Every structure is written in structure tokens, then in C-alpha cells.
Amino acid sequence: MKEYACRRCKAITTGKVCPVCKSADLSADWYGLVLIVNPEESRIARLLNITQKGKYAMKVT
Ligand SMILES: [Zn+2]
């Protein structure tokens, strides 16, 4: 199944709407899958401004 990344918050979804910020601004052009399990203690989460756990893209174009 095709996965899309949200352009606003970088969350990855297979649906048509971002599960995190509810944006429909999704891109099929992304790379660098990041799995955030514990956003409070994750340096990457802080770096990417992620506050909810889930799958994210490092880069969305
Ligand atoms: Zn989003």
C-alpha cells in the first residue's frame, strides 16, 4: 500500500488525511522513515517538532 507523508507535520499515513494534524496536504515524495515511540525523550522528535508518537518522514518534498 502506498504511504504518504504530511507536508505540515511529516506524519506518514496510508489514508487521505493526516492522522496527526488532519491536514489533507500529503506528499508521495518523502524519505527517511522515523519511528517515534517516546516523543518526550526522543531527540529526533524534538528536532522534527513531533509531539505525538507514530511514523514520520525525515524529509518531505
Ligand atoms: Zn500532519
Side-chain angles (χ1 to χ4, degrees):
M1 194 184 279
K2 187 85 185 153
E3 290 186 301
Y4 297 93
C6 175
R7 283 200 178 92
R8 275 200 212 161
C9 70
K10 298 189 171 74
I12 289 172
T13 179
T14 50
K16 287 193 163 65
V17 177
C18 172
V20 176
C21 71
K22 315 295 179 203
S23 164
D25 191 9
L26 308 175
S27 170
D29 266 329
W30 59 271
Y31 62 87
L33 180 66
V34 190
L35 191 64
I36 303 294
V37 181
N38 204 335
E40 292 85 18
E41 288 168 27
S42 167
R43 280 182 58 209
I44 302 170
R46 226 171 297 156
L47 202 72
L48 299 175
N49 265 320
I50 293 166
T51 54
Q52 292 188 48
K53 62 181 175 183
K55 278 160 73 180
Y56 291 87
M58 283 291 286
K59 185 90 185 164
V60 184
T61 53

